[in-house]
Amino acid sequence: MDFQLTDDQRALRDGTRALLAGRYGRDRLRAAVDDPAPDRALWRELGDAGFFALRLPEAAGGVGLGLPEAVLVFEEAGRALLPGPLVAGQLLAGVVDGVATGERVAGLCDAAADPVLWEHPAGCDEVVFLGEGAEGTMEGTRGARGRTGEAYRSAAAEVTCAPFASVDPLTPLARVTGWPRGAPLALDVPRLRREAALLTAAQQLGSAARTVEAAVCHARQREQFGAPIGSFQAIKHLCARMLVRAELARSAVYAAAVTGEALDVAGAKLLADEAAVRNARDCLQVHGGMGFTWEADVHLHLKRAWLRAECWGTAREAEERLADALPG
């Protein structure tokens, strides 16, 4: 579904898909498993295409678009399983020099998490930490109380960290053990947290949609007992449930991109995480044992979905926030 996208939004979505298909095909995806560091040439090409500067004002060298357009772009990145600190690049364009053009790679860490995890530590030039500050009313939460927070910026070489096993071979992690704290950055930390959650949800949505397509394609081609397995009722039901999950998540993610409200973002992240994880599992079932072999990419979607479900708000946190907002 296009959900009443404008012609410009469709062109942006289709152009992003074509760019990633041409520059980050299946061979590059498999190569990235062995070397998941951000491809600097691709990073600069994404910068030239406006991927990171999408929401910067035109006067600042950006494209001048909004959060709905960023969600469409990140949905395509999720479909392609594009590795790298993409959310950080989008949110820190204009904050860290060189990030908007793809010349430099920045990381974004949730310093309020336990443990504090850093994605792609070997590939980043700088890191911004979002920490907790004084108690206050978070803008956009319809009166909910929360942490306002502070942000700090550090050179990657100044951050101390320890190895941390990642379930996703395309996303190396490190556990941060210390970083220098200078003067806090003048950033809207609650907004950055909301947008990080929403852009992560958009990636989950793209993955959920891609696994629907993969399951349907395999069900049409694979035959058992002289017939395509897609003709069997059990497979039809699996694929139908996958589509419903993906489209529900799409509605929630697109709506949250328009409103920007914290509760809408929490609901979108919850639905997108569920769609990405459960769709990948069902896609594995449609593929049978082949789904967890190198012949298929399905297991990579599942591992990425597991990882993203723990980033910028877990299901339990979203459920508690939404329950607290219920009347009575």
Side-chain angles (χ1 to χ4, degrees), residues 176-242:
V176 176
T177 56
W179 69 93
R181 290 174 175 81
L185 295 172
L187 297 176
D188 185 346
V189 173
R191 178 185 63 80
L192 287 176
R193 289 183 181 280
R194 288 198 307 276
E195 293 182 357
L198 181 59
L199 294 178
T200 302
Q203 290 177 294
Q204 294 281 63
L205 168 60
S207 179
R210 180 68 189 95
T211 50
V212 173
E213 295 170 2
V216 171
C217 180
H218 184 75
R220 286 172 172 166
Q221 296 176 351
R222 178 68 173 174
E223 291 189 1
Q224 288 289 342
F225 308 110
I229 63 172
S231 64
F232 304 149
Q233 189 175 50
I235 301 297
K236 290 180 181 179
H237 286 179
L238 278 176
C239 293
R241 285 196 294 267
M242 290 172 67

Side-chain angles (χ1 to χ4, degrees), residues 12 16 43 46-47 49-57 62-75 77 82-96 98-102 104-108 119 128 130 187 191-200 202-203 257 312:
L12 175 66
T16 303
W43 217 253
L46 290 174
F51 187 98
F52 304 115
L54 191 71
R55 293 191 295 143
L56 285 181
V63 184
L65 298 177
L67 197 54
E69 286 76 22
V71 160
L72 293 175
V73 167
F74 271 73
E75 181 182 347
L82 183 65
L86 300 169
V87 171
Q90 171 73 207
L91 297 182
L92 299 179
V95 176
V96 178
V99 169
T101 60
R104 292 173 66 79
V105 179
L108 188 67
E119 293 186 6
V128 171
L130 303 184
L187 297 176
R191 178 185 63 80
L192 287 176
R193 289 183 181 280
R194 288 198 307 276
E195 293 182 357
L198 181 59
L199 294 178
T200 302
Q203 290 177 294
W312 304 109

Side-chain angles (χ1 to χ4, degrees), residues 144-202:
R145 302 288 292 181
R147 297 284 182 176
T148 55
E150 293 178 332
Y152 299 90
R153 174 179 171 181
S154 301
E158 297 176 340
V159 178
T160 58
C161 56
F164 192 91
S166 175
V167 69
D168 178 16
L170 293 166
T171 309
L173 296 173
R175 179 173 60 85
V176 176
T177 56
W179 69 93
R181 290 174 175 81
L185 295 172
L187 297 176
D188 185 346
V189 173
R191 178 185 63 80
L192 287 176
R193 289 183 181 280
R194 288 198 307 276
E195 293 182 357
L198 181 59
L199 294 178
T200 302

Side-chain angles (χ1 to χ4, degrees), residues 227-306:
I229 63 172
S231 64
F232 304 149
Q233 189 175 50
I235 301 297
K236 290 180 181 179
H237 286 179
L238 278 176
C239 293
R241 285 196 294 267
M242 290 172 67
L243 179 62
V244 169
R245 286 190 209 108
E247 294 306 315
L248 283 174
R250 187 186 307 279
S251 298
V253 170
Y254 285 9
V258 174
T259 68
E261 292 279 358
L263 290 177
D264 296 336
V265 171
K269 179 70 162 50
L270 179 66
L271 288 172
D273 287 342
E274 179 184 23
V277 172
R278 295 185 64 182
N279 277 16
R281 285 175 172 169
D282 284 352
C283 188
L284 277 174
Q285 187 168 349
V286 172
H287 279 73
M290 189 184 78
F292 242 104
T293 70
W294 287 111
E295 297 177 51
D297 297 334
V298 186
H299 65 101
L300 296 175
H301 280 278
L302 179 57
K303 292 167 183 174
R304 179 69 63 86
W306 278 334

